[in-house]
Amino acid sequence: MSSTPVAPPPSAPPPAPPPKDTFTVSFDGKAIEVPKNLNLIDAAKLAGVDIPHFCYHPRLSVVGQCRMCLVEIEGMPKIQAACTVPLKDGLSVKTTTDKVKNARAATMEFLLINHPLDCPICDQAGECTLQDNSFGYGNQLSRFDEAKRQYPTFDRTMIGPHVVADMTRCIQCTRCIRFTHEIAGTSELTFLDRGGRTLVWTHEGQPLANDWSGCAADVCPVGALTTREFRFRSRVWYLQKTPSVCPGCNVGCNISIESRDDVVYRFLPRLNPTVNDYWLCDYGRFLSEPLNDRDVHKATVREGSAVREATVPAAVDRIAREIRSSLEGKGPGAVFFLGSAHLSNEENFLLRKIADHVGSPNRDAIVDKSRPRKVKSKTVWVEGDDAGANHQGAKDMGLSPGAGGHGLDAVIAGKASPEVILIADAAFSAIADDPEKVAALRRARFLAVAARNANALTRAADVVLPAASLAEKEGTFTNVQGRVQKFDRAFLPKPPIRAAWEHLLLLALALGFGDRSWTPHDLLRQIAAEVPDYAGIKEEELEGGRLLKKGDFAWAGRP
Amino acid sequence: MEKVLTARIGKKDSRSIDTYLADGGYTGVKRVLTSGMTPEQVIEEVKKANVRGRGGAGFSAGVKWGFLPKDTKGKPIYLFCNADESEPGTFKDRLLMENDPHQLIEGMILASYAIRCRNAYIYIRGEFYDGARILERAIGEAYAKGYLGEKILGSRFSLDITVHRGAGAYICGEETGLIESIEGKRGQPRIKPPFPAVSGAFAAPTIVNNVETLCCVKHVIDRGAEWFLKIGRNEKNAGPKLFCISGHVNRPGVYEAAMGLPLKDLIFGAEYAQGMKGGKKIKAVIPGGASAPMLTAAEIDDCPLDFDGVAAKGSMLGSAAIVVINEDACIVDVAKNLSKFFSHESCGQCTPCREGTPWLYKVLTRIEAGQGRMEDIDLLARICNQMANGMTICVFADAAIAPPLSSVTKFRAEYEHHVTQKRCLVGARAAELVTV
Ligand SMILES: Cc1cc2nc3c(=O)[nH]c(=O)nc-3n(C[C@H](O)[C@H](O)[C@H](O)COP(=O)(O)O)c2cc1C
Ligand code: SF4
Ligand code: SF4
Ligand code: FES
């Protein structure tokens, strides 16, 4: 008899579970799923666990130097720097044990023994990671009874056109060094000397003068690097943060306008990984300064040779009257509308609607070219070279000559001679300060502009309307990537100053269309309904798209 | 024990390749390259001999080589000979390099063959100017005789060795600091993992071995693992070993002996240091370089000088630099002196080490100058305890606390005396102070 055993029926192997793209990691006993490529510090954040840190920065290489992020890992006898521990499945992290608390307190003590503790005169106070962590982990009393380290000639010194260094405050986290090396690619900064004498400085006295030098101050967790422009100007806790978009160029870096009592004190980068990530170029950053400039405070109207003040409605009425009379006399071709790359989509849209309403094909929006500027997004460099943030949007809104219509070039060249010219932004281009070109525009019978600052154009104009600054209005810009980005209002303009869209709405009403209740939100809805590429755009999407939610957004300054 | 590593030292022209060849040098290389011995077989032999790293950590060289990835993804493998020898009290590698450079070169050729390295480097401490010149001359001789360069001895194996001089930083002896330095960067240790064997210099797999370790490799290949394992106290601590003894002894110097030589024999033996100078008593012994905790006179009895023997006493063999301190030395002064070294040499990247080492030095300076307070003694211990055991990137900080922590623990009375009496509790120096 055959003794061959009967083979058991082949049981189908259990289907292999699909490979996970997450790890299960537990923090203080609470397990969560985290993406595989995260740093442990960011994974902890997802779990709602804060791991204090100084040197770790999500966009810079991991160096494990500050030794603040100490945690216990199950199965590892020694304390570990969380930022240096590779994530893996089943990792069990403890952040609240006595060993962890003592270790962090130790690092904190070491960081503070030589620190000047000059918070009362330090600009970083209030947004200083060292200050914050000292509340959590520091000691009230110091056991250090020796003379503190000093850095003669390396304190309170400009190391570049914008950045002031004070090595007494430095905690040697090397974020600034890594920033210049890994992001800017310029490597101006380095460690000098070693041990307790280690300090950060520029190579052989070369200035820290790359296009993003202000970011070195941003990444500095303490007040060792600050900007000349913001030093000693305001306590940071008085500053209101408003999500906005940099007006400097068509890269459209996301910024936080930091203001107090209707004065802008600084711009900081606002995190948007797809545009500017944590960064901002110096040119854009320091546009915060001129943003406060204004010399057009009232509407003015020229009567014969005299220029007199007027109310905004009266001045707008005058524009409407001039437009109507030209239309009657010469037809729609006699009016020319010029939008601007500095105006919002909503403003340019409304201007185009007015042109449509009166039937004029003469409309335009031009932009000066700027020096090429670029900012590193999370993945690539985003490059721009328009000297305005929204040329793309102005074109998208339809501000280019219609059939049979003329553009600005033709007007300046005298190929077209409109009777009435409405320029919605007196700072649209350097043309506005070029006497010859302004003279060419002045050939029109009637010239009206909205402006924040006087220039050759406003001096030549018949009507000047006082226009709000970027900080004083809200709207959207469309950047070089075609990304529609919302900016919020930081504060109200001082009456009678109004945003250009308000001037234009008054004008629309005077010309017989529009609704007094329209806001930029309504205008955006209209854009979504009427402008092809913008079909269906919703404001909520702009906010949900990680952009712009006032008061609740990641500010890039302190990751 | 028959001298192995130092057998040729003291002979006429011991540096020249001619005498080296006459003494049977490079036969190992010839045999390995012409006998068809595979790299794996060389690694196996070294593994079997359990050649524990002579640079300080005592990690098996063969095992380390085994960590190299099988597939290097097109990257080269580097061998770095660590000749930075900066641990205070250590001067054995210098002796080997200056007197018998071909022994090291042969060891490096064999190690390179084993790990499939095409370009090897000797990272030599900058102050060893003579050593660097001697090595370079010897390397030149080896090229001329076909032991280095393309297709060595007609085999398919090629190797270049380059001497790279350091610029005077103790931390560049730490293997990842050394790698950074060779890459042309500031010498500061890296976080591990990745370990150098996986990703070292220029992100390529890299093996770092000490001079003496590589010299041992030559003898393991010449005479076999069995022979090597028989030298010493047991197979975990085997082989010939160089001991550097300094301090208050009659005949300081480098002595070769079998692993496990009793510490007392080294200090008192007639063939070694021949006892204490002036017949003074021992106060303390540092058994493994400045980084090793001090032993008291009582602890040195029955202390075999090998990795496990010294570890059993709560210290470490380290670089086998034995510093003998007699009763006349002030222990606070000793700790202060060593702390000065560590505070000067910390690379400064980790907060606890950068801030802790100068703090220790300052407190010790104060106590030594008679301005200490009782709390300072506990403070010293606390500062030490919060610098080590994972608090830093490399173990420099663990090393830096060894002198203050061990002395505060073992010689607390001396510290207290210093605080209360404002002077040292020692013979000669105390006597001087008393008469003032
Ligand atoms: C602070 C520090 C300094 C070191 N200095 C040296 C040195 O000068 N020479 C040396 O061979 N190893 C030194 N080492 C040990 C090396 O990191 C490494 O372990 C050794 O070179 C490996 O070689 P080995 O396995 O052959 O001993 C040092 C380690 C540390 C932490
Ligand atoms: S200056 Fe600031 S960013 Fe740079 S190392 Fe010092 S603390 Fe860090
Ligand atoms: S422990 Fe000290 S020497 Fe080692 S990496 Fe850190 S700061 Fe540098
Ligand atoms: S954040 Fe981990 S060591 Fe600095």
Side-chain angles (χ1 to χ4, degrees):
Chain A
M1 219 175 85
S2 163
S3 62
T4 311
V6 179
S11 64
K20 284 201 308 176
D21 48 9
T22 57
F23 286 138
T24 313
V25 179
S26 84
F27 293 93
D28 304 317
K30 186 183 150 205
I32 77 158
E33 294 288 312
V34 293
K36 285 184 174 174
N37 57 359
L38 279 194
N39 186 278
L40 188 55
I41 290 185
D42 293 327
K45 206 179 276 174
L46 287 186
V49 172
D50 177 51
I51 297 181
H53 59 277
F54 297 104
C55 68
Y56 173 70
H57 185 290
R59 293 297 181 271
L60 302 176
S61 59
V62 173
V63 290
Q65 291 170 335
C66 73
R67 314 310 285 183
M68 188 64 204
C69 63
L70 301 164
V71 295
E72 277 196 83
I73 306 278
E74 211 171 271
M76 292 179 153
K78 288 185 180 177
I79 199 101
Q80 300 288 322
C83 65
T84 67
V85 177
L87 272 194
K88 61 173 189 213
D89 226 8
L91 204 67
S92 167
V93 186
K94 299 204 184 69
T95 73
T96 54
T97 61
D98 281 348
K99 190 167 165 184
V100 168
K101 282 185 201 151
N102 291 338
R104 291 177 183 173
T107 293
M108 215 46 231
E109 173 171 43
F110 285 128
L111 284 172
L112 291 176
I113 57 174
N114 278 300
H115 191 82
L117 303 175
D118 58 344
C119 314
I121 55 155
C122 177
D123 288 287
Q124 193 82 3
E127 57 185 24
C128 173
T129 318
L130 189 65
Q131 201 179 41
D132 293 354
N133 282 337
S134 81
F135 280 97
Y137 305 93
N139 243 325
Q140 283 283 319
L141 292 174
S142 175
R143 298 187 292 175
F144 182 77
D145 204 17
E146 324 301 324
K148 288 202 188 225
R149 192 163 59 212
Q150 297 298 324
Y151 290 92
T153 74
F154 296 107
D155 50 356
R156 291 169 290 166
T157 303
M158 302 267 319
I159 54 171
H162 303 292
V163 175
V164 182
D166 186 341
M167 279 306 114
T168 63
R169 294 175 183 157
C170 174
I171 58 167
Q172 284 84 15
C173 72
T174 69
R175 274 182 171 193
C176 57
I177 297 176
R178 282 174 285 144
F179 169 77
T180 63
H181 194 64
E182 297 165 14
I183 304 293
T186 47
S187 302
E188 293 97 338
L189 294 176
T190 183
F191 259 171
L192 301 183
D193 216 324
R194 66 179 181 217
R197 305 164 312 283
T198 307
L199 63 108
V200 172
W201 212 249
T202 59
H203 278 288
E204 306 188 349
Q206 294 297 307
L208 172 63
N210 63 57
D211 284 350
W212 312 269
S213 70
C215 296
D218 285 345
V219 297
C220 182
V222 296
L225 301 182
T226 49
T227 61
R228 174 176 64 84
E229 287 79 355
F230 183 63
R231 254 167 90 83
F232 304 134
R233 288 195 56 214
S234 174
R235 278 320 201 174
V236 298
W237 51 85
Y238 293 130
L239 296 179
Q240 177 192 325
K241 293 172 180 292
T242 305
S244 186
V245 174
C246 174
C249 82
N250 51 340
V251 171
C253 291
N254 293 207
I255 59 168
S256 165
I257 294 185
E258 314 253 317
S259 63
R260 166 189 175 189
D261 294 342
D262 298 358
V263 174
V264 174
Y265 282 88
R266 62 176 178 180
F267 288 170
L268 287 182
R270 183 164 52 84
L271 178 61
N272 185 340
T274 55
V275 183
N276 55 305
D277 211 20
Y278 288 91
W279 322 119
L280 191 59
C281 86
D282 286 350
Y283 169 76
R285 180 187 301 265
F286 299 116
L287 287 178
S288 58
E289 304 289 300
L291 200 59
N292 292 315
D293 295 349
R294 160 175 309 278
D295 41 34
V296 176
H297 299 273
K298 297 257 164 67
T300 53
V301 175
R302 190 185 302 277
E303 305 272 16
S305 60
V307 173
R308 62 165 178 77
E309 280 179 11
T311 65
V312 168
V316 170
D317 268 348
R318 169 77 188 278
I319 300 171
R321 254 189 282 128
E322 298 293 346
I323 289 176
R324 267 196 304 267
S325 82
S326 277
L327 289 176
E328 281 158 18
K330 296 266 171 63
V335 190
F336 177 77
F337 296 95
L338 186 66
S340 167
H342 301 294
L343 295 181
S344 69
N345 287 327
E346 293 71 12
E347 292 167 331
N348 282 319
F349 174 77
L350 193 49
L351 183 68
R352 196 260 294 165
K353 296 290 278 185
I354 292 173
D356 284 353
H357 180 77
V358 303
S360 168
N362 301 325
R363 40 183 98 165
D364 207 353
I366 64 133
V367 77
D368 293 339
K369 284 292 160 192
S370 70
R371 186 185 135 195
R373 305 191 192 284
K374 58 177 184 175
V375 167
K376 183 123 194 279
S377 76
K378 185 176 176 185
T379 48
V380 293
W381 285 92
V382 182
E383 301 182 37
D385 64 351
D386 281 356
N390 198 33
H391 191 228
Q392 184 61 46
K395 284 188 292 186
D396 293 345
M397 294 310 120
L399 285 176
S400 35
H406 298 288
L408 183 69
D409 281 353
V411 175
I412 289 177
K415 290 183 196 142
S417 331
E419 278 202 351
V420 172
I421 296 179
L422 172 59
I423 296 179
D425 165 31
F428 71 97
S429 151
I431 288 173
D433 240 342
D434 177 334
E436 274 178 38
K437 296 193 168 141
V438 170
L441 293 169
R442 185 56 280 192
R443 286 196 297 259
R445 177 176 60 72
F446 181 79
L447 179 61
V449 298
R452 181 155 65 89
N453 286 303
N455 59 15
L457 187 60
T458 61
R459 285 187 289 273
D462 298 301
V463 168
V464 179
L465 299 171
S469 76
L470 176 75
E472 295 163 333
K473 65 184 183 185
E474 62 193 306
T476 61
F477 286 153
T478 306
N479 83 346
V480 67
Q481 299 162 310
R483 188 179 299 280
V484 183
Q485 309 195 97
K486 189 173 180 307
F487 57 89
D488 276 0
R489 185 176 60 204
F491 43 85
L492 285 164
K494 207 156 123 211
I497 300 160
R498 301 190 192 201
W501 68 265
E502 292 178 275
H503 297 145
L504 293 168
L505 182 55
L506 284 178
L507 181 61
L509 292 166
L511 291 171
F513 83 101
D515 182 325
R516 198 169 287 282
S517 71
W518 280 355
T519 65
H521 310 268
D522 302 303
L523 292 167
L524 183 62
R525 271 195 290 277
Q526 293 178 34
I527 291 171
E530 295 176 30
V531 180
D533 285 346
Y534 291 64
I537 271 201
K538 291 199 187 76
E539 196 169 334
E540 307 84 80
E541 269 172 17
L542 299 180
E543 304 200 23
R546 189 179 345 217
L547 302 169
L548 311 181
K549 202 166 154 207
K550 193 163 180 174
D552 174 25
F553 56 90
W555 163 51
R558 298 179 64 202
Chain B
M1 194 201 83
E2 160 218 2
K3 300 272 179 282
V4 178
L5 298 166
T6 56
R8 303 184 62 255
I9 294 179
K11 288 192 178 177
K12 190 165 179 292
D13 286 339
S14 65
R15 297 166 182 167
S16 85
I17 197 163
D18 296 330
T19 66
Y20 188 73
L21 288 167
D23 288 339
Y26 289 116
T27 46
V29 168
K30 276 182 214 145
R31 191 163 43 81
V32 166
L33 291 186
T34 55
S35 72
M37 195 170 172
T38 65
E40 288 69 26
Q41 286 168 328
V42 178
I43 296 186
E44 212 34 61
E45 196 65 20
V46 173
K47 227 184 235 174
K48 212 162 96 196
N50 190 20
V51 182
R52 294 180 67 174
R54 266 61 173 164
F59 193 82
S60 157
V63 172
K64 193 193 298 192
W65 299 355
F67 290 156
L68 287 167
K70 295 280 159 286
D71 173 12
T72 67
K73 308 219 162 68
K75 291 230 159 96
I77 293 173
Y78 293 114
L79 173 70
F80 289 175
C81 168
N82 190 342
D84 194 50
E85 190 161 67
S86 315
E87 179 78 16
T90 317
F91 36 84
K92 61 185 179 67
D93 297 341
R94 173 182 183 179
L95 183 86
L96 293 172
M97 291 185 289
E98 290 185 357
N99 294 284
D100 199 359
H102 286 287
Q103 174 178 233
L104 172 62
I105 294 168
E106 183 167 10
M108 289 184 69
I109 296 171
L110 292 166
S112 299
Y113 177 76
I115 66 171
R116 299 187 147 87
C117 158
R118 173 69 181 77
N119 287 287
Y121 294 80
I122 301 174
Y123 186 94
I124 186 165
R125 101 177 248 183
E127 293 89 337
F128 288 174
Y129 178 70
D130 290 343
R133 274 186 37 216
I134 290 164
L135 279 169
E136 263 163 4
R137 194 174 317 129
I139 288 169
E141 290 175 334
Y143 273 106
K145 295 252 194 253
Y147 293 106
L148 284 176
E150 294 288 332
K151 304 212 180 339
I152 296 170
L153 304 177
S155 72
R156 280 186 302 177
F157 175 64
S158 305
L159 176 68
D160 289 311
I161 298 184
T162 308
V163 177
H164 182 103
R165 289 178 62 211
Y170 169 63
I171 198 59
C172 290
E174 196 280 342
E175 55 184 357
T176 56
L178 185 152
I179 287 170
E180 289 277 297
S181 177
I182 284 205
E183 284 187 1
K185 300 182 189 148
R186 176 187 159 85
Q188 57 183 33
R190 296 178 177 174
I191 42 182
K192 288 164 255 181
F195 289 91
V198 174
S199 177
F202 309 103
T206 304
I207 293 293
V208 183
N209 274 129
N210 171 259
V211 171
E212 189 187 347
T213 312
L214 290 164
C215 290
C216 285
V217 166
K218 170 208 143 70
H219 297 286
V220 167
I221 298 306
D222 270 359
R223 300 162 80 164
E226 296 293 336
W227 162 82
F228 192 87
L229 284 169
K230 288 210 187 75
I231 303 172
R233 196 162 59 101
N234 55 37
E235 297 207 336
K236 284 195 181 132
N237 298 275
K241 182 79 193 86
L242 300 189
F243 298 100
C244 321
I245 182 163
S246 60
H248 303 126
V249 290
N250 282 318
R251 213 170 58 133
V254 180
Y255 297 101
E256 179 171 4
M259 271 282 188
L261 173 73
L263 174 50
K264 274 208 143 156
D265 287 7
L266 179 69
I267 299 172
F268 294 103
E271 28 176 345
Y272 304 114
Q274 296 179 353
M276 298 296 289
K277 214 183 233 166
K280 296 273 183 182
K281 285 204 211 117
I282 294 177
K283 178 182 275 184
V285 175
I286 299 175
S291 312
M294 296 176 192
L295 301 177
T296 63
E299 288 171 311
I300 67 167
D301 287 338
D302 183 29
C303 176
L305 285 175
D306 57 35
F307 295 108
D308 299 336
V310 184
K313 296 279 176 188
S315 186
M316 61 174 188
L317 181 64
S319 58
I322 291 92
V323 183
V324 183
I325 298 159
N326 75 12
E327 56 186 326
D328 288 347
C330 167
I331 214 75
V332 180
D333 197 16
V334 172
K336 174 188 136 186
N337 183 303
L338 292 171
S339 292
K340 183 177 186 186
F341 170 79
F342 285 111
S343 101
H344 189 262
E345 296 297 330
S346 159
C347 83
Q349 61 174 334
C350 312
T351 304
C353 178
R354 177 184 67 244
E355 304 296 334
T357 50
W359 192 5
L360 288 172
Y361 174 58
K362 283 179 179 172
V363 175
L364 285 162
T365 304
R366 217 159 27 76
I367 299 177
E368 217 272 327
Q371 290 161 6
R373 289 177 295 253
M374 271 308 179
E375 312 90 85
D376 287 336
I377 302 173
D378 286 333
L379 178 62
L380 281 175
R382 292 212 191 98
I383 299 172
C384 289
N385 285 325
Q386 60 187 45
M387 288 168 64
N389 284 318
M391 287 295 289
T392 54
I393 290 173
C394 85
V395 292
F396 177 102
D398 301 66
I401 67 165
L405 188 59
S406 61
S407 63
V408 150
T409 318
K410 295 179 180 176
F411 301 93
R412 192 175 173 103
E414 274 202 60
Y415 278 86
E416 287 173 356
H417 185 272
H418 232 300
V419 167
T420 55
Q421 307 299 311
K422 314 216 176 296
R423 60 178 176 242
C424 314
L425 180 64
V426 291
R429 184 102 185 261
E432 246 172 60
L433 286 172
V434 170
T435 54
V436 169

